[in-house]
C-alpha cells in the first residue's frame, strides 16, 4: 500500500511539474533530443529534463531523426495518465512546423510585413501555404520574396523539411480568386460558387489541366480544399 501511495504521489508531482513548465505551451514549438526509439514510438528529452512521446500519428513518413540532435516538435497535449504516469505528446506533422521554418528563413514574415493566413499539409510530401501582404502601400513581390534570390529561401525551407514540396499561394478575401490560386499549378478557367453557406464551389479547367488540378491521388484538390475551406 505504501509503495502504491508513493508511486501515485510521484506521478502527481511529475504532472504538476509538466503543467508548470509546459501547460501554456500546448500547440507551440519546442525543441527536444531523441533519447530512445522503440517502434512505433520515439522518446524525446525536452528542456528541464521533461520526457515527451512522439507517436506514429505524429511522425513524418520516411523521416530519419538523429539522436542527440535538437529537433523541432509541436506539443499536442499533456496526458495526465498513462502506464508510466503523465506525459507530453508531441508531433512532427503539425502545420506549425512549416510555419516556424518559414518564419526563420523569411525575414518579412518575422517582421509581420507578410503573414501566413492558412496552411494545408500532408507531412513529408507537400504543403500549400496561403500568404498575404499586410502593408498595402508596399511594392514587395509577395511570392518572390518568399522564394528568395535564385530560390535560396524556399530551397532552404524544403531542405529543413526533408524535401517536402511547398506551394506558395497568394491569399484573397474573394473566394473565387483564392480558390483559383489554391489549385496551382493548374490553370483555372472559372470558379462558380454553388452554395455560399456550405462553401461549395465548382471549378472549371481546360481538359489538359484536369489531371494537374486534381493531382496525384487527388492531393492537389484535397490540399486546396483544406487550405481555402471550400469544397
Amino acid at each position: 500500500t505504501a509503495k502504491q501511495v508513493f508511486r501515485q504521489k510521484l506521478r502527481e508531482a511529475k504532472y504538476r511539474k509538466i503543467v508548470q513548465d509546459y501547460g501554456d505551451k500546448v500547440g507551440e514549438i519546442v525543441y527536444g533530443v531523441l533519447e530512445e526509439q522503440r517502434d512505433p514510438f520515439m522518446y524525446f528529452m525536452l528542456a528541464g529534463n521533461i520526457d515527451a512521446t512522439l507517436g506514429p500519428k505524429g511522425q513524418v513518413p520516411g523521416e530519419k531523426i538523429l539522436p542527440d540532435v535538437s529537433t523541432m516538435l509541436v506539443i499536442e497535449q499533456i496526458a495526465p495518465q498513462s502506464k508510466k504516469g503523465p506525459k507530453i505528446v508531441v508531433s512532427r506533422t503539425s502545420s506549425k512546423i512549416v510555419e516556424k521554418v518559414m518564419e526563420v528563413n523569411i525575414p518579412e514574415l518575422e517582421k509581420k510585413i507578410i503573414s501566413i493566413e492558412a496552411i494545408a499539409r500532408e507531412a513529408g510530401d507537400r504543403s500549400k501555404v496561403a500568404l498575404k501582404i499586410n502593408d498595402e502601400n508596399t511594392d514587395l513581390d509577395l511570392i518572390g520574396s518568399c522564394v528568395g534570390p535564385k530560390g535560396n529561401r524556399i530551397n532552404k525551407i524544403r531542405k529543413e523539411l526533408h524535401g517536402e514540396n511547398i506551394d506558395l499561394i497568394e491569399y484573397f478575401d474573394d473566394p473565387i480568386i483564392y480558390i483559383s490560386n489554391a489549385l496551382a499549378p493548374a490553370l483555372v478557367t472559372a470558379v462558380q460558387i454553388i452554395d455560399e453557406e456550405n462553401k461549395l464551389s465548382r471549378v472549371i479547367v481546360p481538359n489538359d489541366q484536369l489531371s494537374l488540378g486534381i493531382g496525384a491521388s487527388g492531393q492537389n484538390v484535397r490540399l486546396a480544399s483544406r487550405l481555402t475551406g471550400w469544397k
Side-chain angles (χ1 to χ4, degrees):
T1 301
K3 185 185 285 187
Q4 288 177 348
V5 170
F6 177 77
R7 284 177 175 169
Q8 180 62 30
K9 293 293 184 184
L10 195 61
R11 280 196 293 268
E12 289 172 1
K14 187 178 180 182
Y15 181 63
R16 284 196 299 271
K17 170 68 173 170
I18 289 173
V19 171
Q20 179 183 332
D21 291 353
Y22 291 95
D24 60 347
K25 294 182 179 179
V26 174
E28 293 185 10
I29 295 284
V30 293
Y31 291 86
V33 174
L34 180 63
E35 294 268 295
E36 186 181 1
Q37 184 168 352
R38 294 198 303 273
D39 288 336
F41 294 95
M42 295 182 180
Y43 300 94
F44 289 81
M45 182 67 72
L46 308 182
N49 291 325
I50 300 293
D51 297 321
T53 302
L54 178 63
K57 288 184 179 179
Q59 295 174 25
V60 178
E63 182 179 58
K64 302 293 183 184
I65 298 177
L66 299 175
D68 301 323
V69 174
S70 183
T71 301
M72 192 183 297
L73 305 160
V74 173
I75 295 181
E76 283 205 326
Q77 63 169 310
I78 297 174
Q81 294 297 332
S82 71
K83 290 181 180 179
K84 292 188 176 182
K87 67 178 180 180
I88 294 178
V89 179
V90 292
S91 171
R92 282 281 298 165
T93 58
S94 170
S95 60
K96 292 273 187 182
I97 300 280
V98 176
E99 184 177 342
K100 181 65 176 178
V101 171
M102 289 185 68
E103 285 177 354
V104 168
N105 290 284
I106 302 171
E108 291 85 354
L109 278 172
E110 191 178 17
K111 295 174 183 176
K112 309 297 183 184
I113 299 170
I114 296 173
S115 60
I116 294 174
E117 297 297 306
I119 299 176
R121 186 186 189 200
E122 293 192 357
D125 192 0
R126 191 176 183 187
S127 289
K128 284 183 181 285
V129 183
L131 300 154
K132 181 181 179 181
I133 293 180
N134 295 318
D135 185 359
E136 295 179 356
N137 298 317
T138 184
D139 57 356
L140 182 73
D141 179 356
L142 175 62
I143 303 301
S145 62
C146 294
V147 171
K150 297 182 179 179
N152 62 353
R153 287 182 177 178
I154 196 68
N155 287 337
K156 193 171 181 182
I157 291 166
R158 286 192 62 202
K159 185 177 179 182
E160 290 188 37
L161 294 171
H162 304 285
E164 187 171 316
N165 290 308
I166 307 292
D167 292 348
L168 301 176
I169 307 297
E170 185 170 1
Y171 172 84
F172 280 87
D173 291 327
D174 185 334
I176 291 176
I177 303 174
Y178 189 25
I179 292 167
S180 297
N181 287 351
L183 282 162
L187 300 175
V188 174
T189 302
V191 176
Q192 301 170 348
I193 303 300
I194 295 174
D195 185 340
E196 191 166 359
E197 184 178 351
N198 294 307
K199 291 194 169 184
L200 180 63
S201 66
R202 177 183 289 116
V203 178
I204 300 169
V205 299
N207 289 337
D208 63 354
Q209 298 287 306
L210 183 59
S211 59
L212 192 61
I214 294 172
S217 303
Q219 185 187 65
N220 192 55
V221 73
R222 184 169 62 249
L223 285 174
S225 179
R226 283 166 46 193
L227 185 76
T228 61
W230 281 79
K231 296 176 185 176

